[in-house]
Amino acid sequence: MSIKTNSEAWQSGIAKNITFIVTKDCQLACKYCYLVGKNIKERMSWNVAKQAIDYILDHEEDFREESVIWDFIGGEPFLEIDLIDKICDYIKVELFRRNHHWFNSYRFSFSTNGINYHEDKVQRFIAKNRDHLSIGITIDGTERKHDLNRIYKTPEMEAGIAPAPEDEKGSYKDVVRNIPLWLSQFPNAGTKVTISSADIPYIKESVLHLFDLGIHEVNINCVFEDVWTEGDDVKFEEQLMQLADAIIDGKLYENNACSFFTENMGKPLDCVLENQNWCGAGKMLSVDAAGNFYPCTRFAQYSLRDKKAWIIGNVRDGIDKNKLRPFLTLDRCTQSTQECIDCEVGSGCAWCQGENYDAAETPTIYQRSTAICKMHKARVRANNYYWNKLYRKLELEGEREAFESNKKKSNDVIC
């Protein structure tokens, strides 16, 4: 059974995604975080936020999507809940006042570390905007896996000094205490789990733990950066196959879903039907504390290791369409090698446009990073094992027809 989360199902593919980088601060210093420039100084002001909203709403002709997702990120966005509350109130009033086509067709979206989810200000904001909210809390699995990477920031880290392992403090307990409250408010919500080299051995136990917590949708992916070592793909495949056995033997597929097991992936590419960009870079819009516009948050300076920020405008002068134009020509073929295009299991192989840019030999967005190639192939092998075993089981038990029917109904649901 495939369960769609609020954030995934709502107006999928037809909504404009506009992201406010409200702060570059965070309570945590996650070891796999792609945000290499987090700091406590760059916080968005109300004046910059208002200018961004006014520019977007003043140029309705340039934003013709049927709906809009106003996304708030950091760092940790709920550190700026007062500003966010003011922004959202202003958006609602302006959409109504202007009789804008996005009025009553919008969402406020958050991905949070969950640490201060229970606080009164956050809960008042949720109560006020409940019918227009999508909120995901990031919890990586068991305490062992979560605390391996998602550790609290320390003053030493601020000074660039790595703490000794015994001084690291994990955040699991402070996050898991808020999961019941979150699920009571967003029962169909899913979480995002990140896999890096060090935590591969804990994939199976972590996904099962999240199911046990009542999180029925586990969206899980490998980091796109080049962090993988010799043999990681073998260990990865073993963990996924063990997870497949646990899900199928325990019939956990009836009420849960894990994005590692996706039926239509790992096939040769249809270069006509599948020649599109993987993500929405360029179709999305992001704005930071300085009022700069980006084609995606991954092109802001705090997301980049080796390249300069790719700015496409600002709240004062607007969007420079010439700087945005390269993103509108992106597809699979314009940035992939022939080896990737001809790959026998290329379908479903993902990439991050910002990581492509950061890892490229020159300042280009047309060079696809292939750091996760071997991890994708391992996932395909485990994915094939999962679906072959599941369908054999369903046929032996005479349940395949009912499963297919339920899957179709689930895919048709808009939460």
Side-chain angles (χ1 to χ4, degrees):
M1 180 176 181
S2 176
I3 301 170
K4 292 185 178 181
T5 66
N6 287 338
S7 58
E8 289 180 325
W10 189 78
Q11 301 295 70
S12 178
I14 61 173
K16 183 73 175 183
N17 190 290
I18 299 170
T19 300
F20 292 85
I21 306 173
V22 291
T23 180
K24 294 181 181 176
D25 190 17
C26 184
Q27 307 100 317
L28 303 183
C30 301
K31 297 176 185 177
Y32 52 54
C33 186
Y34 64 86
L35 300 175
V36 295
K38 289 191 288 189
N39 63 80
I40 62 174
K41 297 178 181 179
E42 295 181 77
R43 299 168 54 192
M44 184 174 285
S45 68
W46 163 242
N47 182 54
V48 165
K50 182 179 182 299
Q51 284 182 280
I53 297 164
D54 287 343
Y55 172 81
I56 292 163
L57 299 185
D58 284 344
H59 293 79
E60 188 173 0
E61 69 279 4
D62 292 333
F63 299 90
R64 298 307 307 169
E65 290 85 354
E66 293 180 22
S67 307
V68 62
I69 297 172
W70 304 95
D71 189 27
F72 299 91
I73 69 165
E76 167 51 41
F78 283 145
L79 291 177
E80 294 294 329
I81 189 61
D82 290 332
L83 172 65
I84 290 170
D85 190 30
K86 191 172 183 178
I87 289 173
C88 292
D89 281 352
Y90 184 70
I91 287 172
K92 290 182 288 186
V93 169
E94 285 299 295
L95 290 179
F96 175 78
R97 185 181 70 80
R98 297 165 183 256
N99 192 28
H100 196 283
H101 72 278
W102 286 340
F103 178 67
N104 211 33
S105 190
Y106 66 89
R107 280 283 172 99
F108 300 131
S109 177
F110 299 83
S111 181
T112 171
N113 60 33
I115 291 170
N116 60 341
Y117 186 85
H118 63 287
E119 292 180 358
D120 289 343
K121 286 183 178 181
V122 174
Q123 286 302 306
R124 284 196 297 271
F125 172 83
I126 291 172
K128 182 165 66 173
N129 297 283
R130 177 66 186 86
D131 293 336
H132 289 277
L133 279 181
S134 297
I135 300 179
I137 290 181
T138 300
I139 179 169
D140 258 2
T142 60
E143 184 171 5
R144 175 165 58 174
K145 179 185 174 339
H146 184 97
D147 286 351
L148 187 65
N149 283 307
R150 301 186 68 80
I151 59 174
Y152 276 98
K153 179 178 61 178
T154 66
E156 290 78 15
M157 291 179 188
E158 292 280 5
I161 302 171
E166 62 269 18
D167 294 330
E168 295 179 353
K169 180 187 175 186
S171 59
Y172 174 85
K173 287 184 172 65
D174 292 328
V175 177
V176 77
R177 67 176 179 176
N178 285 326
I179 297 301
L181 173 61
W182 171 56
L183 291 177
S184 72
Q185 296 166 333
F186 303 95
N188 293 322
T191 191
K192 292 191 295 184
V193 177
T194 300
I195 303 298
S196 62
S197 179
D199 50 35
I200 291 174
Y202 314 120
I203 292 175
K204 172 195 168 184
E205 67 180 43
S206 290
V207 173
L208 297 179
H209 177 65
L210 294 173
F211 289 164
D212 286 341
L213 289 177
I215 302 172
H216 298 297
E217 175 83 8
V218 177
N219 296 298
I220 186 168
N221 64 276
C222 297
V223 298
F224 290 102
E225 289 77 18
D226 189 7
V227 300
W228 308 106
T229 61
E230 185 69 29
D232 278 352
D233 53 330
V234 176
K235 292 184 288 185
F236 183 51
E237 183 179 352
E238 290 172 351
Q239 278 291 302
L240 292 189
M241 291 179 70
Q242 290 175 27
L243 176 60
D245 287 337
I247 291 175
I248 294 170
D249 295 344
K251 289 194 171 184
L252 301 179
Y253 54 83
E254 293 181 344
N255 296 302
N256 303 283
C258 173
S259 63
F260 269 150
F261 302 123
T262 304
E263 193 165 10
N264 296 313
M265 67 160 288
K267 301 174 183 177
L269 293 165
D270 184 321
C271 290
V272 175
L273 297 177
E274 296 186 80
N275 188 31
Q276 63 270 339
N277 200 26
W278 184 265
C279 72
K283 297 178 182 178
M284 303 182 288
L285 183 67
S286 298
V287 60
D288 69 1
N292 292 318
F293 286 133
Y294 304 92
C296 163
T297 59
R298 287 295 299 256
F299 288 85
Q301 196 61 64
Y302 83 140
S303 299
L304 298 169
R305 303 178 304 275
D306 301 316
K307 298 292 194 301
K308 291 183 179 180
W310 193 307
I311 299 171
I312 59 170
N314 58 65
V315 297
R316 296 165 295 280
D317 304 319
I319 295 172
D320 184 335
K321 293 182 180 179
N322 283 326
K323 293 181 179 178
L324 182 61
R325 199 179 309 278
F327 291 87
L328 305 182
T329 66
L330 283 170
D331 56 36
R332 186 181 296 271
C333 289
T334 56
Q335 57 191 302
S336 299
T337 64
Q338 195 62 42
E339 181 182 3
C340 288
I341 294 170
D342 294 339
C343 180
E344 288 296 314
V345 295
S347 178
C349 185
W351 62 84
C352 167
Q353 204 63 55
E355 176 59 19
N356 286 357
Y357 170 60
D358 208 12
E361 296 164 351
T362 61
T364 179
I365 55 174
Y366 295 107
Q367 182 177 329
R368 179 175 166 188
S369 172
T370 58
I372 66 166
C373 176
K374 67 179 183 180
M375 304 303 286
H376 170 72
K377 291 176 178 177
R379 179 192 171 193
V380 168
R381 294 191 294 270
N383 188 65
N384 291 341
Y385 172 83
Y386 175 90
W387 290 102
N388 287 333
K389 177 170 180 172
L390 177 59
Y391 280 128
R392 282 199 306 270
K393 171 186 171 67
L394 293 171
E395 286 171 356
L396 287 171
E397 297 175 357
E399 296 179 358
R400 178 162 180 169
E401 186 175 339
F403 175 83
E404 294 279 10
S405 177
N406 288 334
K407 184 170 64 173
K408 183 179 185 306
K409 290 177 183 177
S410 176
N411 288 335
D412 290 339
V413 169
I414 300 297
C415 299

